[in-house]
Amino acid sequence: MRGRAGARLRTVLRWSPVLLVVSIAARLVWTLATPNGMNLVDLHVYVDGSGSLFDGDLYDYTYSEETPDFPLPFTYPPFAALVFYPLHYLPFPVVGVGWQLLIAAALFALVWLSLRLLFGERVQGRRWLELTAVWTAVGLWTEPVRTTLDYGQVNVFLALAAVGAASTTRWWLAGGLVGLAAGVKLTPAVTGLYLAGQRRWAAAVASAVTFAGTVGLSYLLVGSAAHEYFTTLLGDADRIGPVGSVWNQSLRGALSRLVGHDVGSGLAWAAAVAVSGVLAVLAWRAIGAADRLGTLLIVQLFGLLLSPISWSHHWVWVVPLLVWLVHGRYRHRLGARILAGYWLVTSLVGVPWVLSFFQDSIWIVSRPGLLAWIGAVDVLGALATFVWLAWTERGVGGAKGARRRGEAGLTKRSGRRSSTPDPDPAV
């Protein structure tokens, strides 16, 4: 980039380490100095709940100290409790601060690997680190990451595992990362669709085998808890939380708020899932499997729509999506810029957070139509992204035409440099 815009961008990149340090420091001050900063309610559930793992009452545990209107139960597979169990021996403030620093580090790695998926081995050196630092500093204040930090959630780590699986050529590592992530929280299992779509059959099988291993280990060590979870609790959305809350940015949540009652898994929900699935397939076919980050994002967005509960903090995929829209091969197109602006503004504002002040109770589904439509912000954004991707390649031979034109940013699985010039405007 030349001219004033290029000069401003280079200035931002030079100051990126300072921006990142200030962003992390501000977040820690928020955590330590505000009255509710160290609530970390979900981290309490993970850590304190896992402490009751071997007492036989893991799924009877609830945390209500900061959430009296909805005592939070342990809703995760028993393997998650095994992973978190050692942390309950540590002082919780130490765990809380350390967890926030780890989330910041994981977000940095998530952005770095997203850029690697776009540009391959050329992502190395100072300028790329500076670019990663800028995105991390901004990403920390998007609502999905912000609420992940507020609650002490695991979403950035799960997203990092999925991007790591997409980045590596080792089938056993890719499958292992996905399987372990699904063992902690079921939602990353959708990444298996990505592996299958990329025809990485060995990795897809390895992910299923690894997940089965986490289940088997759970039965071996805590058989009663594993039996209760996989035979009784699995799929019980009511236990996870209020489906109609504005914090639930899934198809089921959005539809329920629009019609005024929980649609469950009935015809309306099934039709919406079918339409979303068709749009996701069309979007994948439009951009082509060679775009590893783009296709991974399509699968993850579809998974968020499909799940009965997709809390706003599950949408940490907004950060790599912004990286892809701003630096990917479509970055010069008006649609990509509009979508990038939409996701950036809505995630920095935190639309569900704003709307939460207009709901008297998280258990009330019905609300004014305008608020219900605005409350579908992430669902509408995901569907718009699918539609635009499917539409933008029309009449030019789809993904094959895009490859013939040499549009930028795609690298082969080996990571070798593309024959096209480096498309990134920031380097």
Side-chain angles (χ1 to χ4, degrees), residues 173-338:
L173 180 57
L177 287 171
V178 173
L180 289 174
V184 171
K185 198 170 185 176
L186 296 178
T187 48
V190 74
T191 312
L193 292 178
Y194 167 81
L195 296 174
Q198 289 284 355
R199 298 185 179 182
R200 300 185 63 182
W201 306 116
V205 171
S207 68
V209 171
T210 302
F211 174 70
T214 67
V215 176
L217 182 63
S218 300
Y219 270 98
L220 179 64
L221 297 180
V222 284
S224 60
H227 180 77
E228 181 180 6
Y229 180 82
F230 289 107
T231 61
T232 304
L233 303 179
L234 183 62
D236 184 0
D238 292 334
R239 189 172 184 270
I240 298 174
V243 170
S245 169
V246 71
W247 296 106
N248 180 19
Q249 289 292 308
S250 69
L251 280 172
R252 180 172 166 181
L255 286 172
S256 298
R257 292 188 293 272
L258 288 172
V259 302
H261 61 85
D262 183 6
V263 298
S265 54
L267 181 60
W269 176 82
V273 169
V275 171
S276 302
V278 170
L279 291 176
V281 170
L282 292 176
W284 178 299
R285 289 174 61 86
I287 68 175
D291 190 336
R292 292 183 292 160
L293 180 58
T295 49
L296 177 63
L297 290 168
I298 289 170
V299 169
Q300 299 299 335
L301 291 179
F302 176 66
L304 290 167
L305 295 176
L306 176 66
S307 176
I309 300 285
S310 290
W311 302 126
S312 63
H313 54 77
H314 292 174
W315 289 76
V316 294
W317 287 100
V318 166
V319 177
L321 177 61
L322 283 168
V323 170
W324 184 78
L325 288 169
V326 171
H327 299 291
R329 75 178 189 224
Y330 297 114
R331 71 185 186 279
H332 293 305
R333 298 195 180 185
L334 179 62
R337 295 177 178 181
I338 292 174

Side-chain angles (χ1 to χ4, degrees), residues 10-83:
R10 287 188 289 273
T11 299
V12 170
L13 290 175
R14 282 197 300 272
W15 284 93
S16 60
V18 176
L19 292 175
L20 180 57
V21 170
V22 169
S23 184
I24 294 173
R27 179 64 223 192
L28 289 177
V29 169
W30 175 276
T31 298
L32 298 173
T34 59
N36 299 317
M38 276 295 287
N39 283 356
L40 303 174
V41 292
D42 287 337
L43 187 60
H44 269 291
V45 172
Y46 282 121
V47 176
D48 299 343
S50 67
S52 62
L53 176 62
F54 296 103
D55 297 335
D57 56 355
L58 174 64
Y59 293 108
D60 294 325
Y61 168 86
T62 58
Y63 176 80
S64 59
E65 184 174 338
E66 302 293 342
T67 58
D69 56 338
F70 177 40
L72 299 174
F74 192 93
T75 60
Y76 314 99
F79 181 74
L82 290 171
V83 171

